[in-house]
């Protein structure tokens, strides 16, 4: 009998780590932006490899209704589909009605403004990079401010935070500048928000490793977009080794990994997570630490522990 090759053993190790994985930030469609896969197609692909859950994110709408349809009509899928809402122009910005509706329909995350964040406009202007979800099909985005001129949190943003505290949804920083994230997260903590997610500090938001360390110490989960570290995809903006610096700054227990994929002309979200697991192995992380970052930590911050297979606990 032929012994398995080392590459075969590695491949199996990676596939085992995908069982129970959660992708908490994935851009499947339909969307006004071009997408390579829709929510149902992605759920099927993720189910085939044993993902526990995905959380779909669109910059323009809450995906909770689609998630409910998939749950009702496709009980055979191993992968549960959840969604949330990004507080951009199309949903009315800091709209408490939209946030409460998302919560009532089982939403898991509220993202602070992304394409409508003042910092996002600065990033596009200074980097010369157009965000892949930008479109000429609707009027240009306008700023949705979250802070007053004196750098305090606006009353309409505080109302959103109070809804999150009451409903238990997670607050994600979106494309706010890191200086704004500090202020919003501190106010969120004061108002009783328990679940905080720091969105891709490696790009757009101008975060330093000290910011990562400090915001993690506040109790936030630091979320890294694998597409920004993986070689061979069009969104890479960091060296693979930079991921280790970020993970070590926050600590494994305060780090979760997402694909942030689904755009046309790029690797698929499932393949992105697969390559992310391989990258973490190459960086020297133990299987138990990788499982935390691709499964257990997301389950904890999103309240999805019940979705995990027994082997992932």
């Amino acid at each position: 009998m032929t012994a398995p090759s080392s590459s075969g053993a590695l491949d199996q190790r990676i596939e085992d780590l995908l069982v129970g994985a959660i992708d908490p930030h994935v851009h499947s469609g339909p969307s006004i932006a071009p997408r390579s896969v829709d929510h149902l197609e992605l759920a099927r692909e993720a189910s085939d490899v044993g993902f526990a859950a995905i959380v779909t994110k669109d910059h323009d709408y809450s995906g909770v209704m689609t998630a409910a349809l998939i749950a009702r009509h496709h009980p055979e899928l191993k992968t549960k589909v959840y969604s949330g809402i990004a507080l951009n122009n199309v949903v009315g910005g800091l709209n408490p009605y939209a946030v409460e509706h998302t919560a009532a329909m089982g939403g898991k995350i509220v993202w602070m403004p992304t394409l409508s964040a003042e910092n996002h406009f600065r990033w596009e202007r200074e980097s010369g990079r157009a965000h892949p979800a930008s479109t000429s099909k609707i009027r240009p985005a306008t700023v949705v401010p979250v802070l007053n001129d004196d750098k305090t949190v606006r009353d309409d943003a505080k109302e959103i935070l109070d809804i999150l505290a009451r409903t238990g949804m997670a607050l994600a920083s979106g494309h706010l500048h890191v200086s704004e994230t500090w202020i919003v997260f501190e106010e969120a903590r004061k108002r009783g928000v328990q679940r905080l997610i720091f969105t891709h500090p490696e790009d757009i938001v101008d975060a330093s490793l000290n910011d990562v360390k400090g915001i993690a110490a506040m109790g936030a989960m630091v979320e890294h977009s694998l597409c920004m570290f993986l070689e061979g995809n069009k969104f890479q903006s960091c060296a693979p080794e930079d991921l280790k610096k970020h993970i070590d700054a926050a600590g494994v227990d305060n780090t979760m990994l997402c694909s942030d994929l689904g755009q046309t002309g790029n690797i698929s979200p499932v393949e992105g997570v697969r390559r992310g697991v391989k990258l973490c192995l190459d960086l020297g992380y133990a299987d138990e630490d990788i499982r935390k970052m691709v499964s257990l930590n997301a389950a904890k911050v999103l309240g999805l522990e019940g979705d995990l297979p027994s082997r992932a606990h």
Side-chain angles (χ1 to χ4, degrees), residues 176-234:
L176 299 183
H177 191 270
V178 64
S179 61
E180 297 174 297
T181 295
W182 274 104
I183 296 168
V184 171
F185 277 11
E186 287 170 353
E187 184 66 30
R189 278 293 190 225
K190 291 177 185 177
R191 306 184 88 84
V193 178
Q194 298 297 314
R195 307 172 191 272
L196 301 174
I197 300 171
F198 186 19
T199 307
H200 51 56
E202 57 273 0
D203 201 6
I204 300 179
V205 305
D206 268 4
S208 68
L209 292 177
N210 280 335
D211 288 317
V212 170
K213 182 177 181 179
I215 290 177
M218 184 191 295
M221 195 67 70
V222 181
E223 178 188 79
H224 296 297
S225 295
L226 288 167
C227 66
M228 297 176 183
F229 298 95
L230 296 176
E231 296 178 342
N233 88 97
K234 64 182 183 180

Side-chain angles (χ1 to χ4, degrees), residues 20-233:
I22 296 173
D23 190 343
H25 180 157
V26 59
H27 291 289
S28 43
S31 174
I32 200 169
R35 300 302 186 211
S36 63
V37 63
D38 67 34
H39 307 317
L40 179 56
E41 291 169 334
L42 176 59
R44 286 172 170 155
E45 291 178 16
S47 189
D48 286 344
V49 297
F51 275 38
I54 57 174
V55 183
T56 69
K57 177 186 179 185
D58 194 274
H59 294 285
D60 296 315
Y61 70 90
S62 170
V64 291
M65 309 303 280
T66 301
L69 280 171
I70 293 173
R72 178 177 179 181
H73 293 288
H74 294 278
E76 77 282 0
L77 294 176
K78 297 177 183 177
T79 302
K80 302 288 182 63
V81 180
Y82 298 99
S83 193
I85 190 169
L87 301 181
N88 293 318
N89 299 134
V90 177
V91 302
L94 302 180
N95 182 350
Y97 294 97
V99 173
E100 288 180 340
H101 178 269
T102 300
M105 289 298 299
K108 295 298 180 182
I109 304 175
V110 172
W111 287 273
M112 284 285 112
T114 57
L115 306 189
S116 296
E118 183 175 9
N119 176 66
H120 181 89
F121 293 99
R122 176 205 61 80
W123 171 78
E124 285 199 336
R125 184 173 60 252
E126 294 181 0
S127 69
R129 294 158 61 190
H131 193 276
S134 300
T135 177
S136 61
K137 296 178 182 178
I138 59 176
R139 67 187 67 191
T142 58
V143 171
V144 174
V146 298
L147 301 183
N148 296 306
D149 291 342
D150 63 358
K151 303 303 180 184
T152 57
V153 178
R154 289 168 54 103
D155 287 344
D156 48 2
K158 289 178 180 177
E159 186 174 3
I160 301 298
L161 300 181
D162 289 342
I163 296 169
L164 298 182
R166 186 173 71 248
T167 62
M169 282 195 296
L171 169 66
S173 57
H175 291 189
L176 299 183
H177 191 270
V178 64
S179 61
E180 297 174 297
T181 295
W182 274 104
I183 296 168
V184 171
F185 277 11
E186 287 170 353
E187 184 66 30
R189 278 293 190 225
K190 291 177 185 177
R191 306 184 88 84
V193 178
Q194 298 297 314
R195 307 172 191 272
L196 301 174
I197 300 171
F198 186 19
T199 307
H200 51 56
E202 57 273 0
D203 201 6
I204 300 179
V205 305
D206 268 4
S208 68
L209 292 177
N210 280 335
D211 288 317
V212 170
K213 182 177 181 179
I215 290 177
M218 184 191 295
M221 195 67 70
V222 181
E223 178 188 79
H224 296 297
S225 295
L226 288 167
C227 66
M228 297 176 183
F229 298 95
L230 296 176
E231 296 178 342
N233 88 97

